Amino acid sequence: MANVAVIGAQWGDEGKGKIVDWLAERADVVVRFQGGHNAGHTLVVGDKVYKLSLLPSGIVRGTPSVIGNGVVLDPWHLKSEIEKLRGQGVDVTPDTLKIADTCTLILPLHGELDGLREDASGTGKIGTTRRGIGPAYEDKVGRRAIRVCDLAHLDDLGPQLDRLTAHHDALRAGFGVAPIDRAALLDQLREIAGFVLPYAQPVWRMLHEARARGRRILFEGAQGVLLDIDHGTYPFVTSSNTVAGTAAAGTGLGPNAVGFVLGIAKAYTTRVGSGPFPTEQDNEIGERLGTRGHEFGTVTGRKRRCGWFDSVLVRQSAAVSGITGIALTKIDVLDGLDEVSICTGYRLGDQVLDYYPSNASDQKSVEPIYETMAGWQESTAGARSWAELPAQAIKYIRRIEELIQCPVALVSTSPEREDTILVRDPFAD
Ligand code: IMP
């Protein structure tokens, strides 16, 4: 019986929320391992819609949920997300939610810096969520972060605060912003500590115990492989490793604990924020995909850029992340098109490439090579078996499988959790 890691195989927003919710019901523990409240997972359960940014998706159904050490945690956001869920009737307690005491904290100064940098970057804007994710990870790697476990020892934080403020005050001076008010920061931390600490513990211990007892662990990734700090479209990426390998380092379990890697990919492509996007359709097709697919960001409300499925990128994501099977989502958004196209390679000058080059200017210059096939007029919305899919839609899915060199394990045909075609059960592997 495998554990399962769910990761995005494109630029995020692939519809992970629904798939994770579906798997979470059968998992014993759901654990997040990277990112922070930049993620946006929408869960539709019955007639209720839950929007999560930081909490693992298992929380909605009462599955024990863990925030692993690889996550950067904004404690004030944590409080407001928990309170909002409570308002929707979901109980969140230290029994159902455990937070790694080694998580790096996102402080108000991180969000501020994120915004200041974006505003000062002109055409070099990354288009971040402005939630302080990048600056918090920088402080973690710079060894000046304040972590969850420090909330229990705020009076001992002197040297760490010296390092933090020395670094940030220099940056802030450059932006013409007042230095950090240490006393005010400590007061804020003192106030929130009582809320966070009951959830905090060395979660690697309970995860090891869960594993030893044969419990099923679901690792819930955020963002997508193309936003990975190493493997993504650098510098237009997030600040964490989003590949499946992080499921181990970001939780305190070894790589052999990960098991089945389920990559989520939309039947087309979207991206929010700046950066290269070879198959982008800045035209009627893109508008149609955006409208039918309701392509607006969960976190920032920004309109997502839309384009054709890019098999080169998804094949690359599958390779660098060790994806075992793909969950193909939102196939119904393509219903009614006369023709559908898939990118199968790139032209760069007089070269033809079967991979995405690493350099930002090459990434911007490549021209996609398309394969175009007839679309389908019938509806795929709500299909729960292959027999309910039009022949052309099946042909499209099979061609994608061939091109990405990875089997499709699930097909999702609507936001409803039951509207799913199961080809291979990740937990049964
Ligand atoms: P950051 O993670 O806020 O630093 O933003 C860096 C880039 O990642 C920007 O292009 C964001 O739009 C993108 N991004 C971050 N989180 C998500 C997500 O959950 N879905 C899609 N894009 C995201």
Side-chain angles (χ1 to χ4, degrees):
M1 193 168 48
N3 294 325
V4 178
V6 174
I7 56 159
Q10 295 159 319
W11 278 292
D13 309 316
E14 298 92 349
K16 288 187 286 295
K18 165 184 158 169
I19 307 287
V20 168
D21 176 46
W22 185 78
L23 290 166
E25 204 183 28
R26 292 181 304 135
D28 299 304
V29 186
V30 181
V31 53
R32 271 198 60 182
F33 52 88
Q34 47 72 230
H37 65 309
N38 49 348
H41 290 176
T42 306
L43 309 183
V44 183
V45 183
D47 57 357
K48 281 198 175 160
V49 178
Y50 302 92
K51 289 190 188 287
L52 303 178
S53 290
L54 175 62
L55 294 169
S57 298
I59 205 82
V60 169
R61 294 183 184 274
T63 310
S65 295
V66 175
I67 295 181
N69 55 276
V71 170
V72 280
L73 182 123
D74 179 326
W76 298 277
H77 180 89
L78 174 79
K79 184 164 184 264
S80 73
E81 200 167 306
I82 288 178
E83 281 169 357
K84 197 166 155 216
L85 274 185
R86 284 184 181 144
Q88 288 188 284
V90 177
D91 203 17
V92 181
T93 68
D95 280 335
T96 55
L97 176 68
K98 298 174 199 310
I99 299 174
D101 57 1
T102 47
C103 272
T104 290
L105 291 179
I106 300 182
L107 305 172
L109 58 94
H110 292 129
E112 223 179 311
L113 181 58
D114 203 349
L116 287 167
R117 278 192 186 143
E118 282 289 276
D119 290 340
S121 293
T123 54
K125 255 191 205 23
I126 289 176
T128 71
T129 58
R130 296 177 177 245
R131 296 199 156 189
I133 307 295
Y137 275 118
E138 287 168 35
D139 280 352
K140 172 179 176 172
V141 177
R143 293 157 296 176
R144 54 182 170 262
I146 298 178
R147 307 194 298 174
V148 167
C149 51
D150 298 329
L151 292 172
H153 303 275
L154 287 172
D155 293 334
D156 304 334
L157 266 189
Q160 198 66 358
L161 274 181
D162 287 344
R163 295 165 51 74
L164 185 79
T165 50
H167 178 80
H168 280 275
D169 285 348
L171 285 174
R172 292 166 74 93
F175 282 113
V177 178
I180 292 163
D181 182 338
R182 273 173 79 133
L185 176 60
L186 273 173
D187 283 348
Q188 285 175 302
L189 289 172
R190 248 179 225 114
E191 209 185 314
I192 199 71
F195 183 84
V196 179
L197 284 171
Y199 300 98
Q201 56 171 271
V203 296
W204 63 269
R205 298 182 66 215
M206 66 80 72
L207 289 171
H208 273 266
E209 196 186 319
R211 191 162 177 239
R213 289 164 60 198
R215 298 288 186 254
R216 294 176 180 198
I217 303 172
L218 177 63
F219 299 92
E220 178 179 5
Q223 293 85 47
V225 175
L226 303 175
L227 289 170
D228 183 280
I229 186 78
D230 288 296
H231 299 287
T233 47
Y234 192 91
F236 301 102
V237 291
T238 192
S239 297
S240 61
N241 281 112
T242 55
V243 290
T246 316
T251 58
L253 285 166
N256 54 350
V258 176
F260 192 105
V261 179
L262 184 67
I264 318 292
K266 261 182 217 176
Y268 50 102
T269 313
T270 64
R271 165 159 217 175
V272 63
S274 325
F277 180 174
T279 61
E280 181 169 15
Q281 298 296 301
D282 194 9
N283 55 28
E284 249 174 54
I285 297 281
E287 279 297 317
R288 182 191 162 109
L289 294 173
T291 309
R292 287 185 59 104
H294 309 291
E295 297 295 355
F296 293 91
T298 317
V299 172
T300 57
R302 287 179 290 176
K303 197 173 170 183
R304 297 179 186 141
R305 300 152 65 193
C306 298
W308 294 122
F309 187 86
D310 190 330
S311 72
V312 183
L313 288 179
V314 176
R315 183 168 66 232
Q316 197 156 321
S317 290
V320 299
S321 229
I323 290 176
T324 323
I326 287 279
L328 196 69
T329 62
K330 297 184 113 173
I331 183 87
D332 53 302
V333 173
L334 300 178
D335 293 353
L337 286 168
D338 292 334
E339 288 183 331
V340 284
S341 297
I342 304 176
C343 169
T344 58
Y346 304 122
R347 225 167 249 121
L348 181 64
D350 51 12
Q351 276 180 291
V352 172
L353 302 180
D354 63 357
Y355 66 95
Y356 202 39
S358 306
N359 177 270
S361 61
D362 287 346
Q363 290 187 346
K364 206 170 150 196
S365 310
V366 295
E367 280 177 35
I369 300 169
Y370 287 114
E371 190 174 294
T372 297
M373 55 172 82
W376 54 91
Q377 299 311 310
E378 305 89 327
S379 168
T380 61
R384 295 180 183 188
S385 68
W386 287 113
E388 290 171 67
L389 290 181
Q392 269 310 114
I394 296 177
K395 207 166 149 191
Y396 179 74
I397 297 169
R398 292 298 183 211
R399 185 64 184 135
I400 283 179
E401 270 183 323
E402 239 167 55
L403 288 166
I404 64 174
Q405 294 165 11
C406 188
V408 165
L410 296 166
V411 182
S412 164
T413 57
S414 98
E416 291 296 326
R417 60 202 305 269
E418 302 311 327
D419 294 341
T420 304
I421 302 171
L422 177 63
V423 184
R424 182 172 168 195
D425 182 351
F427 271 128
D429 251 55

